[in-house]
Amino acid sequence: MPEETVRSLSVDGLRYSYRLLKQTCPATGPVTGPSTEPRTEPVVVLGGALQGMLGWPQMDGRLGPVAEVVTADLPGMGGAAPLPPGPSADILCAALTRIIDDLDVPRVNLFGFSYGAALAFRCAQHNPGRIARLILGGVPVHISQAQRAHWQRATDRLAAGDRDGFATLVTEALMCLDPDRYVARRDLAYRYVKRSMLHAVTHSPHAADSVYRSLGDRPDFSGGLSGVPTLVFTGEHDTVTSAERQRVFAATIRGSRFTTIRDADHWVVLEKADEVADLTLRFFTDRPLEPAAYLSSVPHQDRVPDRSSLA
């Protein structure tokens, strides 16, 4: 049966917490013996700017039998302390490192999605020896000026007190609404995302600051990475950053793999939650990614060549 623990930490005087889910046997405690599936290092899940520790039930269910699952309210997220003004990447990386230290393990598997992908990538660059495997999903490698202008209109609505208008514009910015592109559960996902955004800015004390920070921060995806087995994935209709741009980014990571999930957009973790969890399980337990019926037929699935071999 699963055992859940929430632990509080601090970094630079900022209080935050993480949630640890592990499988236990009533008589023997933590599961460490043989399993029907291979065990792997703890999995740390980092989501978008407004996604906290309680937003990943599909990961709990799919990964729980093979690994400890860690989710977090990092500084500036959920119930954690707000971040100070200015760049926050170093603080958040330090917060993540503290979690790994507190787990008392040499390495973890790291899953970063959207805003969390930027943090996960930066932390892997700075401390690759602590990351056993890395998954980056919905990577916002490139945000156009038109997209930034749309986000600015959204934050203007929020500043004016129009929370519903803000939630509508943010939802539109994060989803593919083109009727000529099929997206599974689009209407359901739209309602869920809008409701979640509205709830966050109504009830979270730091939601507005997180939104303004995500607009002002420009994540750095340069510099490449080596020594960490990496998978980059996205919904085939991601309109935040196109699948092709994410494939090009993946090519900067030595020996990485890239794949797309069909019938999904940037919110692939919602529209195809079970498929994302299955893909994560496959990669973190060193299983083949193919054949998997949910992967797109677009030829993005092959291992990305080493950067040194690219023209």
Side-chain angles (χ1 to χ4, degrees):
M1 68 176 55
E3 175 184 285
E4 179 179 290
T5 304
V6 176
R7 293 184 58 83
S8 296
L9 300 173
S10 66
V11 60
D12 287 1
L14 303 174
R15 178 186 52 80
Y16 67 102
S17 59
Y18 75 89
R19 167 183 168 271
L20 172 64
L21 185 74
K22 62 173 67 176
Q23 295 289 332
T24 63
C25 295
T28 61
V31 175
T32 57
S35 170
T36 56
E37 298 184 287
R39 299 287 296 175
T40 187
E41 290 88 347
V43 175
V44 178
V45 179
L46 304 174
L50 298 181
Q51 287 178 291
M53 68 168 68
L54 300 179
W56 299 95
Q58 73 276 23
M59 294 298 193
D60 294 345
R62 196 71 179 97
L63 299 174
V66 304
E68 296 177 347
V69 181
V70 176
T71 56
D73 281 351
L74 295 176
M77 301 177 187
L83 284 161
S88 58
D90 289 342
I91 293 175
L92 294 174
C93 280
L96 176 58
T97 300
R98 285 292 313 278
I99 291 175
I100 299 173
D101 291 340
D102 198 62
L103 291 170
D104 194 26
V105 295
R107 301 190 304 168
V108 299
N109 294 308
L110 185 55
F111 176 101
F113 173 73
S114 192
Y115 182 86
L119 173 59
F121 180 64
R122 182 182 179 93
C123 291
Q125 283 181 312
H126 285 219
N127 206 351
R130 304 301 299 273
I131 310 302
R133 301 168 194 82
L134 176 67
I135 294 182
L136 304 173
V139 187
V141 178
H142 174 78
I143 305 298
S144 70
Q145 287 303 116
Q147 287 173 298
R148 289 192 172 277
H150 184 98
W151 275 93
Q152 187 61 59
R153 290 194 295 273
T155 56
D156 289 345
R157 294 279 185 91
L158 184 59
D162 182 6
R163 292 172 176 169
D164 187 78
F166 162 81
T168 298
L169 286 174
V170 168
T171 303
E172 292 174 350
L174 295 175
M175 298 191 68
C176 173
L177 302 180
D178 182 352
D180 293 331
R181 300 184 187 184
Y182 175 70
V183 174
R185 306 181 182 92
R186 175 186 276 141
D187 292 343
L188 178 63
Y190 183 93
R191 293 194 298 270
Y192 180 88
V193 172
K194 181 178 178 181
R195 186 169 63 247
S196 297
M197 295 298 167
L198 188 57
H199 183 274
V201 296
T202 302
H203 298 283
S204 173
H206 316 311
D209 288 342
S210 296
V211 171
Y212 293 130
R213 186 179 298 276
S214 64
L215 179 65
D217 282 355
R218 293 180 178 267
D220 184 4
F221 290 100
S222 65
L225 176 66
S226 63
V228 180
T230 302
L231 169 67
V232 179
F233 78 92
T234 186
E236 64 177 339
H237 301 309
D238 195 330
T239 52
V240 175
T241 295
S242 70
E244 180 58 25
R245 284 186 180 273
Q246 293 186 58
R247 186 196 66 78
V248 172
F249 159 70
T252 71
I253 302 174
R254 187 177 296 274
S256 70
R257 302 196 69 184
F258 176 80
T259 194
T260 55
I261 295 179
R262 62 165 57 101
D263 301 334
D265 59 19
H266 186 72
W267 273 98
V268 59
V269 294
L270 175 61
E271 297 150 352
K272 295 280 187 156
D274 292 340
E275 291 85 347
V276 170
D278 180 70
L279 184 68
T280 302
L281 176 69
R282 287 169 180 259
F283 189 74
F284 284 161
T285 55
D286 299 323
R287 298 180 183 182
L289 303 186
E290 305 88 7
Y294 50 81
L295 295 181
S296 174
S297 58
V298 177
H300 290 310
Q301 299 169 21
D302 295 336
R303 183 174 299 277
V304 176
D306 290 349
R307 191 180 186 189
S308 58
S309 68
L310 297 175

